[in-house]
Amino acid sequence: ELLIAHPMVSPDPARVRFVGFGAYSLDVEIFAYVLSADYNAYLGVLEDLNLRIMDAVEEAGSGFAFPSQTTYLTRDKPLDAERAKAAEGQVDQWRRDDALPFPEPDPLRRQELDGTLDFPPKGSASRRPAADPSGAAATQRSWRTPRRAAE
């Protein structure tokens, strides 16, 4: 849903797939085309997506495992049991409703989500109007793609 909703990501063939088991990992492949030929803009979208993925994993009550050979003298932050239980409940509900979003999301849901994510996010410097030398505020730069109507 994140990839489909992001206005700087082509919704087709945006996909996330559990692709295998590593020696110390569960491997997930995230694939999408970023709608920019400018490398700096691409890196900005990539960073935005990665941060939102981290937030989504944390909101689900989970986290990322990193290989480590450190001797721990304290305990790791425990997983949020309440959030993990809520996420499990959501997946169970999807199963009961025959609405699991894989292997392919529902086409109507894809259409509902297409380009709806706020990007650049509120608070980002690129969302602020630039000052015009004449003193007037310049028009805000829009990152919206041609497939989306202006807001």
Side-chain angles (χ1 to χ4, degrees):
E1 289 187 353
L2 170 65
L3 295 176
I4 295 166
H6 202 291
M8 291 299 295
V9 172
S10 174
D12 189 32
R15 65 179 179 262
V16 178
R17 294 287 189 256
F18 174 48
V19 295
F21 298 92
Y24 301 98
S25 64
L26 302 176
D27 298 340
V28 175
E29 177 184 77
I30 301 170
F31 181 88
Y33 291 113
V34 172
L35 301 173
S36 177
D38 178 85
Y39 189 65
N40 284 326
Y42 161 78
L43 289 176
V45 173
L46 179 62
E47 179 178 48
D48 181 62
L49 290 169
N50 284 335
L51 290 171
R52 289 176 190 261
I53 290 167
M54 289 174 60
D55 288 345
V57 169
E58 184 176 324
E59 285 175 19
S62 192
F64 292 97
F66 296 99
S68 178
Q69 294 184 7
T70 303
T71 302
Y72 289 98
L73 302 176
T74 186
R75 294 179 185 246
D76 286 340
K77 178 181 169 186
L79 297 179
D80 185 325
E82 188 175 315
R83 286 182 177 175
K85 185 173 178 122
E88 288 173 10
Q90 176 65 65
V91 172
D92 287 341
Q93 185 64 48
W94 287 339
R95 282 190 179 109
R96 286 191 299 275
D97 295 344
D98 291 328
L100 284 170
F102 37 85
E104 293 299 326
D106 178 68
L108 293 176
R109 183 68 177 141
R110 287 180 68 97
Q111 192 173 24
E112 288 172 3
L113 289 170
D114 187 9
T116 59
L117 192 68
D118 182 34
F119 182 81
K122 288 183 176 94
S124 171
S126 56
R127 283 185 66 93
R128 292 184 299 218
D132 186 310
S134 69
T139 306
Q140 177 179 339
R141 180 175 179 185
S142 174
W143 287 85
R144 295 298 244 186
T145 60
R147 61 190 171 81
R148 288 274 146 246
E151 293 180 330

